[in-house]
Structure formats: C-alpha cells, structure tokens
Amino acid sequence: MTTSLPPDFADWLRLREPADAVARSVELADAARDRLPAGRPLVVHDLGSGTGSMARWLAPRLPGPQHWVLHERDAHLLALATGGGLTAADGAAVTVTTRGSDITRLTRADLADAHLVTASALLDMLTAEEIDRMADACAGRPTLFALTVSGRAEFTPADPLDAELADAFNAHQRRTVDGRALLGPDAVDATVAAFERRGVEVTVRSTPWRLGPEQAALTAEWLTGWVDAAVEERPHLIGPARTYTEWRLAEAAAGRVEVALHHADLLAG
C-alpha cells in the first residue's frame, strides 16, 4: 500500500480518538475477550495501528499480561505510538513493540504468535484483494475490526444537499489510487464474505459516531474533509458545496448541528 498520508494526519487521529472510543462496540470487545486463552500472556497484533488508539482502548478491557505488536507503515505514527504506559483490566503489565509493515502484504507467518488481531478505521481503505489476503492471514484466531465506514451520514437538521454529497463522497471512497481499487463503504460486506469463504463466522455491529455540540471541533474537521472529497469526485458541486459548508460550519460552531456518521465493527472467529 503506497498511498502517502497527509502531514497533519496524526493531529486528525488525536482529534477523533475520543469519538472512536465512545463508538466502538463493547459487546464485540467482550466477545473477543471471552474467546482468548486463559492463564498465559496474550499477544495482540494491531494492523494499521496509527498512534496506538486501539491498544489504548482495548488493552484495559483485556485481562492478564499482554504484548501488543503495532503494525504501521508510517514511521512518524509509530514513534508516537510508543509513548505512554498501558495496563490490563486486572492491572497486569502491557508491553508494546512496533513494526514498520505493509499490512496489505502480511501472511499467516507474520501473525503466527497472535492470540487476537485487531484494526480500527482501516478496511474501507483497502481493495478486495487486500482484504482477501488479510482474511487469509487472520483466519484461525479472533479478529476484531473496528470503525469501518459504512457510507451513511445523517444530519440534524437535514438539508437537500446531504444525500448528493454523501453519494459523491462514497464514490470518492471507491476511487482507484496507484492502481488500487478501494472498497470504501463496500468493505464491510467484502470482509464478511472473505472470512465466510474460509468457514469463519463474522458478527457485525453498527458503531456510529454521534457528534453534537460537545464535538464541534471534530464535526468541523470531519465535515470539511467530507465535502472536499465529494467535490474532488464531482467538481460540479463546488458552488453549492461552498455555501453548504459555510452554513454547516457556522451551525456546528453554534451547537446547532448533530451528525450520525455510520460505521460497523466486525468480529471474525
């Protein structure tokens, strides 16, 4: 996977981390915990770890000593992920190592010691072939994928342009980059199918962000990027989108906008 990250991507990850933490499925995390071996240190591999937010959320929900292996291709994000101590649900130590990995090329051998595989906000940036390889590498152990974009954004109050921008954004998410045909909101179904082809059952839960006045800064940052992507995909929207964005941002700053941005969590195995 060769697509480069913007220089301020770490700032975006920090901004979204509290909303991610609220949205992730506790039910699926508990189910994953119940499938883990007891009486020995756990090894967890986190794919596309970013700055380590999944470890910060999940490690305190799991019992006993844990060792997390964070896979990320961006060295700057990995450096940020190494900071800060973690403890398990029962106070046991949690250690972390990092690997500069192209997660689209991981094999079963790379994950051979894993008791659990995790990822967050990742699948919609992959292709069907990459998800199939990932399912092959992960099969045989519980795998928890959090916060895959599922293609719906619901605004209160609603506006006639909402649906058109959402459709354009989803088309942008399905674009081809460096020869890679991204799945975007089709990634949930593709991932379920890839595991089921291997005889692995998958449980899916809806995990939307629910953004209100307390998340105005996140709403503004997300909305700007959402509209920019839609306009990049369909330039004829630039005029109405400019007016729309100015209005939405002003309303968000005043605490008069709520957004439900839909995601899905998946537990395979």
Side-chain angles (χ1 to χ4, degrees):
M1 187 164 61
T2 59
T3 306
S4 60
L5 297 175
D8 58 352
F9 193 67
D11 295 333
W12 164 245
L13 294 181
R14 290 190 195 97
L15 182 62
R16 67 174 288 170
E17 186 165 347
D20 287 349
V22 171
R24 291 190 185 103
S25 173
V26 174
E27 176 194 352
L28 293 189
D30 289 347
R33 178 199 61 208
D34 293 344
R35 298 174 192 184
L36 297 175
R40 56 173 142 164
L42 298 175
V43 178
V44 184
H45 284 243
D46 187 32
L47 311 184
S49 63
T51 63
S53 69
M54 189 65 170
R56 288 189 288 274
W57 182 81
L58 186 57
R61 300 176 184 274
L62 303 179
Q66 301 166 42
H67 180 65
W68 281 70
V69 182
L70 307 185
H71 295 262
E72 172 60 57
R73 64 187 176 84
D74 187 280
H76 175 59
L77 296 182
L78 277 182
L80 295 173
T82 60
L86 294 172
T87 56
D90 54 4
V94 176
T95 58
V96 176
T97 59
T98 60
R99 291 185 189 174
S101 301
D102 179 351
I103 54 94
T104 67
R105 297 293 177 182
L106 294 178
T107 67
R108 295 186 186 190
D110 295 313
L111 304 177
D113 63 342
H115 300 111
L116 173 67
V117 179
T118 68
S120 187
L122 173 68
L123 298 178
D124 45 276
M125 297 187 292
L126 302 179
T127 70
E129 294 77 14
E130 290 163 356
I131 282 179
D132 196 66
R133 284 198 297 268
M134 188 172 295
D136 194 62
C138 294
R141 58 189 57 79
T143 302
L144 180 61
F145 292 117
L147 299 176
T148 298
V149 170
S150 55
R152 284 199 300 137
E154 296 176 295
F155 291 85
T156 304
D159 183 85
L161 200 57
D162 295 343
E164 190 169 3
L165 288 170
D167 186 62
F169 175 81
N170 289 337
H172 185 268
Q173 292 294 92
R174 296 182 178 104
R175 70 196 184 280
T176 298
V177 180
D178 298 328
R180 298 170 57 246
L182 308 183
L183 283 171
D186 303 322
V188 172
D189 289 344
T191 302
V192 171
F195 277 98
E196 288 184 343
R197 283 194 295 273
R198 291 162 174 83
V200 179
E201 183 179 352
V202 182
T203 304
V204 181
R205 292 291 181 265
S206 176
T207 51
W209 277 357
R210 299 195 181 277
L211 307 181
E214 296 79 9
Q215 296 83 27
L218 177 58
T219 300
E221 189 71 18
W222 166 78
L223 178 70
T224 301
W226 185 73
V227 173
D228 285 350
V231 169
E232 181 179 325
E233 184 67 23
R234 296 181 182 164
H236 70 276
L237 293 174
I238 189 168
R242 183 181 297 114
T243 303
Y244 173 94
T245 304
E246 291 172 355
W247 167 65
R248 283 288 191 204
L249 291 176
E251 292 294 283
R256 294 192 291 264
V257 173
E258 295 182 358
V259 185
L261 181 62
H262 289 267
H263 306 90
D265 284 14
L266 296 78
L267 176 61

